[in-house]
Amino acid sequence: MDRLYLIRHGKPSATWGGDDDDPGLDETGQAQARAARDWLLALPPAERPTKVVSSPLRRCRETAEPTAEALGVAIEVDPRVGEIPTPAALSVDERGPWLRKSFAGTWAEIEGDLDYDAWRGEIAASLAARGHTAVFSHYVATNAVVSQLLGVPQVLAFRPDHASITVLETDGERLTLVEKGREATTGVL
């Protein structure tokens, strides 16, 4: 089984829905990105990632950069590990309440443009072929994978902190959870 690391992005310089819909990292987030790199590079060589994948959003790409640079590899941007798709009919002001309602329920109960239970399965399946990879993603996408692997229907399986590293293993087809990453002491919204 190959190791795979699912890393939540570092602390962004703005929250969603503010002046910047795609914020980069603030100073704390930049330090968290370097700390994630250092943790990954300190792993035994057989467990260390050799590839770096990121959500398209800037906060994830910036969190991935120190690791990619240290490994001497390019970042592969993969929308499948991106943020949860917001229903097209929702305004910016309606996204926060929609997320809060979604977080309180199950994947099958999320109202929107797609089958969110199937969406979480697709994220987990996309990771199964990514051994020896550091994947930089989001709070909800990380919960999608962890809840799928734990076999729980709730949207929130845990509360990954900024730059939290969840350890997974894959045989190329099946994905297993080794260890959940560090949890946040406060909520996202």
Side-chain angles (χ1 to χ4, degrees), residues 6-9 54-57 59-60 78-85 95 99 103 107 110 116 119-127 135-149 155-158 160 166 168 175 188:
L6 185 56
I7 302 110
R8 181 182 176 207
H9 61 77
S54 175
S55 157
L57 295 179
R59 58 194 173 270
C60 289
D78 186 346
R80 293 177 299 179
V81 298
E83 191 58 89
I84 186 170
R95 186 172 196 272
L99 280 173
F103 287 176
W107 289 99
I110 299 176
Y116 289 94
W119 176 78
R120 78 174 173 145
E122 291 167 11
I123 295 171
S126 78
L127 296 179
V135 178
F136 294 83
S137 189
H138 302 272
Y139 185 92
V140 181
T142 300
N143 267 284
V145 173
V146 171
S147 67
Q148 179 80 15
L149 296 177
V155 171
L156 294 186
F158 83 120
T166 295
L168 308 168
L175 196 60
V188 170

Side-chain angles (χ1 to χ4, degrees), residues 36-97:
R37 171 206 58 205
D38 294 346
W39 188 91
L40 292 165
L41 292 178
L43 292 167
E47 295 178 16
R48 197 173 302 146
T50 57
K51 297 170 269 192
V52 175
V53 172
S54 175
S55 157
L57 295 179
R58 187 172 155 207
R59 58 194 173 270
C60 289
R61 293 190 328 267
E62 288 184 7
T63 307
E65 284 173 1
T67 300
E69 288 174 9
L71 294 173
V73 298
I75 297 170
E76 177 190 339
V77 174
D78 186 346
R80 293 177 299 179
V81 298
E83 191 58 89
I84 186 170
T86 302
L90 291 184
S91 70
V92 170
D93 293 336
E94 293 171 314
R95 186 172 196 272

